[in-house]
Amino acid sequence: MAENQSKAATQANEPAQAPVLRPGRAADPVPAPVAPGDQASAAVPASPAADPAPTGQTPETSSESEPSADRAEFRDTDGGKPERVLAESRQHKLRLMLRQCDRVLLMDFDLLAMNGWPDNFTMAEARRSRDLWLFSALIAAAIFLSGLTGFVPAWIAGGGFGAFVIILLLGMPAVRRIYTTKPSYLDLIMTRQRMLREARQHVAHLEGSDGLIWQCARMADFNPALKNTRFSHLLRLSESRGLSRQLTRREHVRLYLIYLLEAEKAYSRVQKAFFEGNQEALDRGWEEVAAEPEPRT
């Protein structure tokens, strides 16, 4: 042991020598060829300064960005939900209006307008002609009856009887058409009744079993003319399902026609608003809002 200690002391006292290369090792070794598949694994940073950020900080950054993105998406969804609900409610309301008032498009204008309705002057003239015909027939009949009682001579009574027969023949429709083209008072009365009956049948067809114009009153926002008070009586009759039976005059039918014309204007505006709402819903990706109404059963 004393020998080893002396050797250690001797080595410690000697000056430091230059390093000596070991035998068989080249001073500048040539790098060995690397396979192409090992190039990715061989690309290791040479110094700590070129290393990326510490691994402990990367999850924290990603974890902070993900909640922020989720919060932004939640805000977008939550902000668009009220608009979607309002759009869906509005589309449902417009769809209901179109469904309940679509019979407005079946209106026959010529039938309800009654353009061939005989006016009062024509009726008065025909009534005057009828009264003159009746008066002439009564005079001829009185002369004939006076001759039977001996009050007038027989030849005058015979002339009265002949005049009475001629007057009666002139009153027959087949003979009347020979010498005049003017309709008789009875023909005008029958024409008025026929036109009024056809108009009432058409109104009954339009109203159906549920009524029509009282349901169209909800389209007043698209046409303020539907709020006019002169239509209030018609609306009450339509709601009670007795409108067609109460149309006994031409003025009533014409008023009903005016309301239908205003309702048709409102219907076209509702239809336009409905289609625009559908297009806007499709543009924003709201397929449920833009869904087509269910077919009628």
Side-chain angles (χ1 to χ4, degrees):
M1 293 181 61
E3 184 179 359
N4 293 334
Q5 291 178 357
S6 61
K7 289 180 179 181
T10 303
Q11 292 176 359
N13 294 329
E14 291 179 358
Q17 298 179 358
V20 180
L21 298 177
R22 288 180 294 178
R25 183 178 179 182
D28 295 327
V30 180
V34 182
D38 299 333
Q39 290 180 359
S41 60
V44 180
S47 62
D51 291 343
T55 57
Q57 296 180 1
T58 304
E60 294 178 1
T61 306
S62 60
S63 62
E64 291 178 358
S65 61
E66 290 178 359
S68 62
D70 295 340
R71 286 195 297 269
E73 183 178 358
F74 176 76
R75 285 196 300 269
D76 295 342
T77 305
D78 190 27
K81 186 175 181 181
E83 297 180 1
R84 181 172 181 175
V85 172
L86 291 176
E88 186 174 1
S89 176
R90 184 172 184 270
Q91 288 300 104
H92 177 72
K93 181 180 178 181
L94 295 178
R95 189 183 300 119
L96 183 61
M97 290 182 188
L98 295 176
R99 183 185 180 93
Q100 292 179 342
C101 303
D102 57 355
R103 289 196 302 273
V104 172
L105 304 178
L106 302 178
M107 174 190 61
D108 190 342
F109 178 83
D110 295 333
L111 190 59
L112 296 179
M114 298 182 178
N115 294 323
W117 183 267
D119 56 5
N120 293 332
F121 177 78
T122 305
M123 295 291 295
E125 188 177 6
R127 187 185 302 111
R128 190 181 305 109
S129 300
R130 183 206 60 181
D131 294 341
L132 181 60
W133 175 79
L134 287 176
F135 181 74
S136 302
L138 288 176
I139 293 295
I143 293 174
F144 171 70
L145 293 177
S146 298
L148 294 178
T149 58
F151 185 75
V152 294
W155 65 273
I156 296 179
F161 178 76
F164 177 74
V165 172
I166 294 173
I167 292 173
L168 289 180
L169 292 175
L170 292 177
M172 297 180 63
V175 180
R176 179 183 176 84
R177 296 190 186 95
I178 298 175
Y179 65 93
T180 182
T181 58
K182 293 182 179 180
S184 63
Y185 183 75
L186 182 61
D187 294 338
L188 296 178
I189 292 294
M190 293 180 63
T191 300
R192 280 190 170 187
Q193 291 179 354
R194 176 182 56 80
M195 296 181 68
L196 185 60
R197 181 175 63 254
E198 292 177 353
R200 292 174 63 181
Q201 290 176 355
H202 185 58
V203 171
H205 172 67
L206 293 177
E207 290 292 315
S209 58
D210 298 329
L212 175 61
I213 63 173
W214 75 276
Q215 298 185 84
C216 297
R218 66 182 62 189
M219 297 191 300
D221 295 337
F222 295 89
N223 189 1
L226 298 178
K227 299 180 181 179
N228 199 312
T229 55
R230 62 175 178 169
F231 302 125
S232 58
H233 185 60
L234 292 178
L235 296 177
R236 289 194 298 268
L237 292 176
S238 176
E239 188 174 4
S240 61
R241 279 72 167 172
L243 178 60
S244 60
R245 297 189 299 271
Q246 300 298 326
L247 299 179
T248 57
R249 301 178 59 183
R250 186 197 182 199
E251 290 77 9
H252 301 160
V253 180
R254 294 294 292 270
L255 186 61
Y256 182 82
L257 175 62
I258 293 174
Y259 189 91
L260 286 184
L261 293 176
E262 298 295 340
E264 189 177 13
K265 295 179 183 178
Y267 185 88
S268 62
R269 296 170 185 173
V270 171
Q271 194 175 35
K272 181 180 179 181
F274 176 75
F275 289 149
E276 290 178 352
N278 261 6
Q279 186 62 40
E280 182 179 358
L282 290 175
D283 294 340
R284 303 186 68 172
W286 299 341
E287 290 78 5
E288 295 81 1
V289 177
E292 293 295 331
E294 297 180 0
R296 284 191 166 187
T297 56

